[in-house]
Amino acid sequence: MLLIAGFMLVEVAGALLSGSLALLADAGHMLTDAAALALAWTAFRLSRRPTDHAKTYGYYRFEVVAAFINGLALLILVGWILWEAVERLITPPPVLGGPMLAVAIVGLLVNLVAFRMLHGADQDNLNIRAALWHVIGDILGSIAAIIAGLVIVLTGWTPIDPILSLLVAMLLVRAGWSLTKRTLNILMEGAPEHLDLDELRDKLIQAIPQVTGVHHLHVWLLTIERPMLTVHIEINSKDNADDTLIRIKRFLSDHYGITHSTIQIEREGCADHPHD
């Protein structure tokens, strides 16, 4: 966070000096990166807090909230870059290629160091992935600024600056949308994207002979690494409920990685109607 925020100030100065949109866009992106990394750090700190009477699941979900905010920030940044790029294509301002190129090269080195630091972390964590995508966007922005600087120094053709900025923006749209969509699904208690509930229900009945019916099946994510499940299981009156419960929990853990489940065993039908 300190690395990105510190160089962001240098890049703003370089953008104002050279008149480069590519540098200014990259500086704006680095500002959101610094905020994203600060938010990610705060989320990890909060997620370590123990559960209490107010937060019975603890504070893990704040990691998802942070990732959602960072995904939205990426999309907002893309919108700003697009707006500025179109304006500069219509009315091209003067751009100093030399200062722009020098700042962009240093920026690329800084971003590569930040990428290396984040890339060693847990890539399955949406919070880490959000921060990493911000830094990847910075790397792309720095490369675009370097190319634009070289073209301007060699040919004097300044439209290359907003054109490459548009290209970087297009590359970031997919990452921002994917991240926002995934985190919103978690916040809305949606089922994991990779999980087919009908398939889970069928496999559960096939794998455990005591199970005669499955309903009120709900699966959601506390975080991307913490799936949760509740379900009503119908068994015959002669079957052993404790043994069935143990087998179901072992099946869910071994085949779906679900280690936190609440299972209601029923013998005489379900008291809740209609089934959902």
Side-chain angles (χ1 to χ4, degrees), residues 1-9 26-42 70 73 111 131 134-135 138:
M1 179 185 67
L2 295 175
L3 183 69
I4 294 294
F7 187 76
M8 181 266 298
L9 297 176
D26 195 39
H29 196 187
M30 292 188 87
L31 176 62
T32 65
D33 286 349
L37 291 168
L39 191 59
W41 177 81
T42 302
N70 283 332
N111 289 321
H134 275 272
V135 174
D138 277 340

Side-chain angles (χ1 to χ4, degrees), residues 72-124:
L72 285 179
L74 270 176
L75 295 176
I76 292 171
L77 178 66
V78 166
W80 176 78
I81 293 174
L82 292 175
W83 179 270
E84 286 291 324
V86 170
E87 283 196 343
R88 291 197 174 212
L89 283 172
I90 296 172
T91 310
V95 179
L96 301 178
M100 172 185 174
L101 181 60
V103 174
I105 290 173
V106 178
L108 178 61
L109 296 176
V110 170
N111 289 321
L112 287 174
V113 172
F115 176 82
R116 180 67 185 87
M117 294 170 69
L118 281 173
H119 195 259
D122 181 9
Q123 297 305 298
D124 289 330

Side-chain angles (χ1 to χ4, degrees), residues 106-176:
V106 178
L108 178 61
L109 296 176
V110 170
N111 289 321
L112 287 174
V113 172
F115 176 82
R116 180 67 185 87
M117 294 170 69
L118 281 173
H119 195 259
D122 181 9
Q123 297 305 298
D124 289 330
N125 186 286
L126 284 177
N127 202 28
I128 289 290
R129 193 177 301 176
L132 186 63
W133 266 109
H134 275 272
V135 174
I136 290 173
D138 277 340
I139 292 173
L140 294 174
S142 294
I143 292 173
I146 289 172
I147 296 173
L150 285 171
V151 171
I152 292 170
V153 167
L154 295 175
T155 68
W157 191 58
T158 57
I160 187 65
D161 182 44
I163 288 173
L164 289 179
S165 298
L166 284 171
L167 179 61
V168 171
M170 292 297 97
L171 292 174
L172 292 177
V173 165
R174 182 177 180 182

Side-chain angles (χ1 to χ4, degrees), residues 235-254:
I235 64 173
N236 293 318
S237 57
K238 62 181 180 179
D239 291 326
N240 185 296
D242 292 336
D243 176 66
T244 303
L245 182 61
I246 292 171
R247 295 187 64 180
I248 292 171
K249 283 186 171 288
R250 186 179 296 122
F251 172 84
L252 292 173
S253 176
D254 293 345

Side-chain angles (χ1 to χ4, degrees), residues 182 185 191-197 199 221 224 227 255-258:
R182 291 191 68 187
N185 182 59
E193 296 172 356
H194 66 278
L195 186 62
D196 185 324
L197 293 187
E199 179 184 278
L221 295 168
I224 196 70
H255 292 82
Y256 293 94
I258 300 174

